[in-house]
Amino acid sequence: MRQKARKKKHRRRKFIKFLMIAGIAYFAYRSIITSGNSQIFEKLYAYAYKTVMVPLPIEKETDVPVSVTPDQLYSSNAILVRLRDDAVLMEKNSEEKVYPASLTKMMTVFVAIEHLSDLNEKIELTQSMFEGLYEANASMAGFKPGEQVRSVDLLYGAMLPSGAESCIALAEHIAGSEQNFVRLMNEKAEELGMCHTHFENTTGLHDENHYTTVKDMSIFLREALQNDIFRDIFTTFRYSTPPTNQHPEGITLTSTMYEKLDSRPIMNGEILGGKTGYTDEAGLCLASLAKVGQQEYILITAGVKGNHHTEQFNITDALAVYNSLGEI
């Protein structure tokens, strides 16, 4: 009887010891895993149970649902991407060929940034840089022939008011001609894996061979936003240049998206920046960046019917999508 009692007591001690070791392993897990030292925990866990480690399941955050469905959008093409993990949360004809219109100027600015050694270097705009732009009804920043403008001011001029003369000036200064600069743009597109994109000019003026997809443009924008200079320009709504020989008081440049946004807020967040685009063939386009909650998102849309004088349904779509995230 005594021997049986001793054995029973011994088994109880072993069980209690096991529970204590398991408890220690659990609390070690809570503290060590938090700091990222999962290998240390695995050794403690294996020691406690004296068995082969079985990997613990990793919690995966579920994708944020979007209450707006693609068929509710005015845009014929759209893609929504969460920047933290490049997750595509919504898309609509995202690999279909579209004309990018002035969304092209985002690539122009990005390539220019990569090739400019001095952002304060002054560039003189010549009369030839303006040839054909007014006739094509291209949007302009407001610089004049003979004006000496800093490179950085031309970057803002290309992005915010969508100035075509700023694009041509940057291209000719960097590469000697617009067509030489366009080769750099196509090389960058190929480098980034934009397999369905081809550029023919720096401005986005319509050309049958000047095309992209909203998916390709999202690939580009995700990369470009990692460049601090590009991000600063893309997220600026209003910018004033210093005085020049043609504008003694400088020029105030305003984002075309900001003008059309009309201070309409989104729930639980804000639209941080963006670039509009329009031609008859492309329709209304928009590339935007927003922060909703603690996450940043980009939305690329194209193919909205309308023009500068109609309701801006590209803006309407962006507000609807970002607000649908805010409702979750």
Side-chain angles (χ1 to χ4, degrees):
M1 290 293 290
R2 289 179 182 175
Q3 188 175 1
K4 287 183 179 180
R6 280 197 298 269
K7 286 183 179 180
K8 188 174 182 182
K9 189 175 183 180
H10 179 67
R11 286 196 297 269
R12 188 184 300 118
R13 285 177 179 172
K14 286 182 67 176
F15 181 71
I16 293 172
K17 183 179 178 181
F18 170 80
L19 289 177
M20 290 175 65
I21 293 173
I24 292 170
Y26 173 76
F27 286 107
Y29 164 73
R30 293 298 299 272
S31 60
I32 294 170
I33 282 296
T34 304
S35 62
N37 298 319
S38 58
Q39 291 181 349
I40 297 174
F41 167 71
E42 290 176 359
K43 292 177 182 178
L44 286 172
Y45 191 93
Y47 172 76
Y49 288 88
K50 300 204 185 299
T51 185
V52 177
M53 271 299 300
V54 177
L56 293 171
I58 299 174
E59 259 186 57
K60 184 179 180 182
E61 183 181 350
T62 56
D63 286 341
V64 176
V66 185
S67 60
V68 171
T69 60
D71 61 351
Q72 291 176 307
L73 299 178
Y74 292 98
S75 304
S76 61
N77 309 80
I79 188 167
L80 173 70
V81 180
R82 182 173 58 209
L83 287 185
R84 176 178 58 78
D85 55 1
D86 294 339
V88 176
L89 303 182
M90 182 184 71
E91 54 186 331
K92 178 181 181 181
N93 301 324
S94 65
E95 297 186 60
E96 182 179 275
K97 173 181 169 181
V98 299
Y99 299 117
S102 286
L103 299 190
T104 301
K105 291 162 186 167
M106 297 190 299
M107 177 65 88
T108 301
V109 168
F110 185 58
V111 172
I113 290 170
E114 290 195 328
H115 287 82
L116 288 169
S117 57
D118 181 4
L119 294 182
N120 290 311
E121 181 181 5
K122 289 187 176 181
I123 299 173
E124 183 170 345
L125 282 73
T126 64
Q127 183 65 49
S128 63
M129 293 176 182
F130 292 79
E131 289 179 2
L133 297 182
Y134 291 109
E135 292 81 356
N137 200 30
S139 52
M140 310 290 276
F143 298 116
K144 298 179 180 179
E147 189 164 3
Q148 296 177 351
V149 184
R150 296 183 311 171
S151 299
V152 66
D153 300 327
L154 290 172
L155 293 172
Y156 279 97
M159 184 75 79
L160 273 59
S162 206
E165 83 277 31
S166 298
C167 296
I168 303 298
L170 288 165
E172 293 193 7
H173 173 73
I174 291 168
S177 70
E178 183 181 17
Q179 286 310 305
N180 286 342
F181 189 87
V182 168
R183 279 195 283 273
L184 298 177
M185 294 169 64
N186 284 318
E187 288 172 7
K188 177 56 67 174
E190 183 178 357
E191 177 188 323
L192 295 178
M194 299 168 66
C195 302
H196 304 288
T197 296
H198 181 78
F199 297 109
E200 283 289 324
N201 56 62
T202 62
T203 60
L205 290 173
H206 182 67
D207 188 297
E208 286 292 330
N209 293 317
H210 188 96
Y211 56 83
T212 188
T213 67
V214 293
K215 184 175 183 178
D216 273 8
M217 292 306 291
S218 74
I219 293 171
F220 160 75
L221 190 54
R222 294 201 304 269
E223 176 69 22
L225 286 171
Q226 296 181 46
N227 181 290
D228 291 339
I229 299 172
F230 180 94
R231 187 183 180 95
D232 285 346
I233 296 171
F234 189 76
T235 57
T236 296
F237 284 166
R238 187 173 286 111
Y239 175 83
S240 295
T241 72
T244 70
N245 57 321
Q246 296 280 6
H247 289 94
E249 297 181 357
I251 301 178
T252 297
L253 308 171
T254 304
S255 163
T256 54
M257 187 199 71
Y258 180 68
E259 290 177 335
K260 295 174 174 61
L261 194 57
D262 195 28
S263 301
R264 287 179 282 178
I266 59 175
M267 294 184 295
N268 194 32
E270 61 179 325
I271 295 181
L272 302 176
K275 178 78 190 73
T276 62
Y278 168 76
T279 62
D280 288 340
E281 295 80 6
L284 295 167
C285 311
L286 180 65
S288 60
L289 167 69
K291 185 173 184 180
V292 182
Q294 299 302 312
Q295 299 297 332
E296 287 188 342
Y297 303 86
I298 58 173
L299 175 67
I300 314 290
T301 59
V304 180
K305 294 180 180 178
N307 55 50
H308 295 308
H309 306 293
T310 64
E311 184 171 347
Q312 302 301 290
F313 288 113
N314 52 345
I315 302 293
T316 303
D317 277 353
L319 292 169
V321 170
Y322 292 136
N323 276 319
S324 74
L325 291 171
E327 292 172 356
I328 305 305

